Amino acid sequence: MGYVYLVMVALFFSFGGTSVKLIRPYFSPYMITFLRFFVAVFWLVGLKAVKRQRFRADFWPNLKKHWKWLAFGACAKLAAYLMENAALSVGVSYGNILTQPAQMILLTILGVTVLREKMSAAKWAGVACCIIGILLISWNGLPLDALAGEQLTLTLLYVFSGCCAGLFVFTQKKIAQDFDILDSNLCMFALAAVLALLFPAGRGEILPKAQPDLACFAAVIWYGFVTGIGFYLNAKAIPLVPFRMVALLQSTMVFFALAWGILFFREPVSVWIVSGAVLFVVGIVVMQRREKAKGV
């Protein structure tokens, strides 16, 4: 089931860029980030109510024990969404596909250096394919002097966003033994929502620029659902699959995101972007085959 959960998460997250494009005409990237966390908290509270799940008896002792990790995870995810939403507000709806290989590479490095997981030459080759894929997607056939402008800024925003998202996943892994996954995500998202509100409040951007339409309202609800329920499923999958596979399977969102960009916004997809995506897939396949060979 862990693999099924991760594929569902990839499908959910692929609508991230679509949601931002529908919300952006009315709200700033800072406010979009707050709304995503705020609505996600309500989805998690609703799930907790449906499951009739109380806080575990050891919740408060573990909260005191791991509050630093919870705060770190909240800040990491907040930073990831601030950068991602800022970039999506300017670029194409599928631009955040770059966050996935960045997250995967970081998680692989953390798995090897911190969790002492083994890496073969084939797996490192897969990582190299992902890096080359990032470079091709970022380049997109543009003149080299154009890469020093807005395109480079967007690429860096997505890469750093992916790294911060990887740190959030790593935090989930670290506290999974002592926290119910629903409770830990609820704590981190609630804290992130409070912190996220400081940005639009400080800039006077809380109110919408105009009366939001139905599409914007639906996108806000869906975006919160993706964050709350999506990460709940993601956290459920983490103990069920090898740590490296979390980012690998999440990365399949690239295909869905490209499809939505073409279908909903008629956004162009060049041969460079397709080539980068193919290289990324090659890296995934190489790593997955090595896992199967070991019987994982």
Side-chain angles (χ1 to χ4, degrees):
M1 286 301 297
Y3 294 97
V4 175
Y5 291 150
L6 290 175
V7 172
M8 291 176 61
V9 169
L11 177 60
F12 288 166
F13 288 170
S14 69
F15 285 101
T18 302
S19 299
V20 171
K21 290 299 183 183
L22 294 175
I23 303 171
R24 183 64 181 94
Y26 307 96
F27 294 99
S28 70
Y30 299 106
M31 195 60 188
I32 293 174
T33 301
F34 164 72
L35 290 172
R36 184 173 188 179
F37 282 121
F38 182 72
V39 177
V41 169
F42 276 92
W43 278 108
L44 290 176
V45 170
L47 178 60
K48 197 172 180 66
V50 169
K51 295 180 64 176
R52 297 181 180 179
Q53 178 181 318
R54 298 178 178 272
F55 288 105
R56 292 187 345 189
D58 60 352
F59 173 78
W60 294 109
N62 284 329
L63 182 64
K64 183 178 180 180
K65 176 182 177 183
H66 294 296
W67 72 268
K68 291 183 180 179
W69 274 113
L70 292 170
F72 177 77
C75 291
K77 202 57 185 171
L78 173 59
Y81 284 161
L82 285 173
M83 289 184 283
E84 180 181 351
N85 289 333
L88 284 172
S89 298
V90 177
V92 293
S93 66
Y94 57 79
N96 60 342
I97 62 177
L98 291 177
T99 64
Q100 293 303 311
Q103 176 179 333
M104 188 208 69
I105 292 169
L106 178 68
L107 288 176
T108 300
I109 294 173
L110 289 176
V112 173
T113 58
V114 179
L115 301 181
R116 304 301 180 186
E117 296 181 346
K118 295 181 179 180
M119 282 287 289
S120 66
K123 292 189 180 70
W124 283 120
V127 171
C129 286
C130 290
I131 294 175
I132 297 173
I134 291 176
L135 296 177
L136 285 179
I137 292 172
S138 303
W139 177 29
N140 197 20
L142 296 173
L144 294 181
D145 57 349
L147 295 179
E150 181 180 282
Q151 186 62 33
L152 177 60
T153 300
L154 294 178
T155 297
L156 292 177
L157 282 173
Y158 285 128
V159 169
F160 286 127
S161 174
C163 291
C164 289
L167 293 176
F168 174 78
V169 174
F170 185 73
T171 299
Q172 289 180 310
K173 180 75 172 180
K174 291 291 291 184
I175 64 178
Q177 296 299 321
D178 293 330
F179 267 102
D180 178 84
I181 53 179
L182 179 54
D183 293 339
S184 63
N185 277 353
L186 183 57
C187 290
M188 287 188 282
F189 289 158
L191 177 57
V194 173
L195 296 175
L197 185 59
L198 299 177
F199 291 92
R203 298 170 61 92
E205 298 176 343
I206 293 181
L207 297 178
K209 300 176 182 179
Q211 179 66 36
D213 59 11
L214 183 60
C216 174
F217 179 77
V220 169
I221 300 301
W222 174 251
Y223 213 19
F225 174 86
V226 165
T227 305
I229 306 303
F231 273 104
Y232 170 74
L233 295 177
N234 187 71
K236 281 182 68 69
I238 288 175
L240 303 178
V241 300
F243 187 52
R244 292 182 298 273
M245 297 300 293
V246 174
L248 290 174
L249 291 181
Q250 280 185 355
S251 298
T252 57
M253 68 159 279
V254 60
F255 306 109
F256 300 119
L258 289 172
W260 308 149
I262 297 172
L263 181 63
F264 297 132
F265 303 108
R266 299 293 188 268
E267 293 172 337
V269 177
S270 69
V271 65
W272 302 104
I273 293 176
V274 174
S275 299
V278 169
L279 272 175
F280 183 45
V281 173
V282 169
I284 294 175
V285 171
V286 168
M287 295 174 128
Q288 286 180 328
R289 284 184 176 178
R290 295 296 297 179
E291 292 290 348
K292 291 179 180 179
K294 291 183 177 182
V296 177

